[in-house]
């Protein structure tokens, strides 16, 4: 038994999406394989898609996701629609599918268009920001716009921020792994600065990020710098 929701823009893909639990293991190419698995495939209409299979929840979570909370796939799909409404770039949501076993959630799949963006914020782990300043500045303003709209990505980490710099110098960002989001809440200075703690980079990255973010929000630059660097160091100190 399964539950399927398909974006009204892609009704022709419903029959294909229905087959995903049976075809996933040999559908397209694996691009990520850890707790969850992600494959890139070509849908029957020629669209290149990203299929994410979430790991089977623990027994208690199967009950919770079956009766009390939406599954991760459903939340990610709904959040993508909300982001689109607000003009925030994220891969286009095509649909999601849930399978059940003994009346409880077994597997969940999220289907989106494959993003054309090729770079992630992992790049800042080793590099100084020389030559990257425009990307850091653009990211600071991108983040400020999110926060000013009351949008808060609860896993704002390097792998979940896609970007590319185009030939004309413009820089585009997209958010992925968006099942854990907050919408409509005030993102004040403390919460905003804490949001950057999972990012990778050297101190010069965070110095520039703080300066540009403070300018974008109209906040005191020294206070923003102090908070961003404090939360960044605290987060990574506990993971060494």
């Amino acid at each position: 038994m399964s539950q399927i929701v398909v974006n009204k823009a892609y009704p022709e893909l419903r029959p294909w999406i229905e087959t995903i639990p049976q075809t996933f293991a040999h559908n397209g190419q694996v691009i990520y394989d850890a707790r969850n698995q992600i494959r890139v495939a070509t849908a029957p209409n020629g669209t290149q898609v990203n299929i994410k299979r979430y790991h089977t929840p623990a027994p208690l979570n199967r009950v919770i996701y079956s009766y009390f909370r939406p599954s991760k796939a459903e939340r990610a799909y709904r959040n993508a629609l909300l982001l689109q409404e607000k003009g925030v770039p994220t891969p286009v949501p095509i649909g999601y599918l849930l399978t059940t076993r003994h009346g409880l959630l077994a597997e969940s799949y999220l289907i989106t268009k494959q993003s054309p963006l090729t770079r992630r914020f992992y790049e800042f782990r080793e590099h100084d920001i020389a030559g990257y300043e425009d990307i850091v500045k653009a990211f600071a303003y991108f983040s400020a716009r999110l926060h000013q709209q009351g949008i808060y990505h609860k896993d704002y980490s390097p792998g979940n921020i896609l970007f590319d710099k185009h030939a004309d110098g413009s820089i585009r960002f997209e958010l992925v792994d968006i099942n854990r989001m907050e919408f409509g809440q005030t993102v004040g200075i403390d919460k905003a600065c804490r949001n950057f703690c999972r990012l990778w980079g050297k101190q010069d990255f965070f110095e520039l990020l703080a300066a540009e973010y403070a300018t974008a929000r109209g906040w005191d630059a020294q206070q923003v710098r102090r908070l961003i660097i404090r939360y960044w160091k605290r987060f990574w100190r506990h993971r060494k």
Side-chain angles (χ1 to χ4, degrees):
M1 186 175 180
S2 60
Q3 174 189 343
I4 301 173
V5 171
V6 180
N7 189 321
K8 62 183 180 181
Y10 298 92
E12 74 279 7
L13 292 184
R14 176 177 286 272
W16 176 73
I17 291 173
E18 290 175 351
T19 70
I20 284 177
Q22 292 76 43
T23 63
F24 180 80
H26 51 83
N27 202 339
Q29 178 182 358
V30 175
I31 60 169
Y32 180 83
D33 192 9
R35 185 174 175 84
N36 308 310
Q37 187 177 103
I38 301 174
R39 287 177 171 267
V40 174
T42 302
N45 66 354
T47 301
Q48 191 173 45
V49 300
N50 185 297
I51 310 171
K52 181 173 185 176
R53 182 180 66 189
Y54 294 88
H55 74 285
T56 301
L60 177 59
N61 285 337
R62 290 183 64 198
V63 174
I64 292 171
Y65 289 142
S66 298
Y67 297 106
F68 302 106
R69 291 186 64 194
S71 69
K72 292 181 178 181
E74 181 177 351
R75 278 182 280 147
Y77 177 81
R78 291 180 178 180
N79 288 345
L81 293 176
L82 281 171
L83 290 175
Q84 283 193 316
E85 288 176 10
K86 295 176 180 296
V88 177
T90 192
V92 175
I94 293 176
Y96 69 90
L97 181 148
L98 312 177
T99 67
T100 57
R101 188 165 57 246
H102 306 303
L104 298 177
L105 177 69
E107 293 181 326
S108 55
Y109 301 83
L110 173 70
I111 303 95
T112 64
K113 286 188 69 173
Q114 176 66 8
S115 173
L117 305 187
T118 60
R119 300 169 68 181
R120 296 181 184 235
F121 264 54
Y122 293 122
E123 291 184 29
F124 292 98
R125 180 174 191 173
E126 301 296 340
H127 295 290
D128 294 327
I129 60 168
Y132 287 82
E133 293 93 343
D134 55 345
I135 296 170
V136 179
K137 291 177 181 179
F139 175 66
Y141 281 85
F142 172 78
S143 301
R145 288 195 298 273
L146 289 180
H147 293 159
Q148 287 169 324
Q149 292 183 77
I151 300 170
Y152 193 82
H153 195 316
K154 297 174 76 172
D155 188 6
Y156 211 40
S157 54
N160 296 337
I161 303 161
L162 310 183
F163 75 99
D164 262 328
K165 182 176 179 179
H166 301 299
D168 63 0
S170 63
I171 300 166
R172 178 177 172 84
F173 299 93
E174 284 189 359
L175 299 180
V176 297
D177 201 2
I178 55 173
N179 58 287
R180 297 174 63 237
M181 302 280 294
E182 290 179 359
F183 294 91
Q185 299 186 26
T186 299
V187 183
I189 189 168
D190 189 80
K191 185 172 184 177
C193 293
R194 192 167 63 246
N195 202 198
F196 300 110
C197 70
R198 295 172 180 264
L199 296 178
W200 293 4
K202 298 183 179 181
Q203 182 138 342
D204 58 354
F205 170 86
F206 291 94
E207 296 271 3
L208 181 57
L209 173 64
E212 295 297 322
Y213 185 84
T215 298
R217 297 297 302 267
W219 288 342
D220 179 75
Q222 288 304 314
Q223 184 179 9
V224 170
R225 174 191 175 279
R226 183 171 63 253
L227 288 171
I228 284 179
I229 291 177
R230 176 197 299 170
Y231 286 124
W232 163 59
K233 288 184 174 179
R234 180 184 299 172
F235 180 86
W236 289 107
R237 182 170 63 244
H238 293 319
R239 280 153 182 80
K240 289 182 179 179

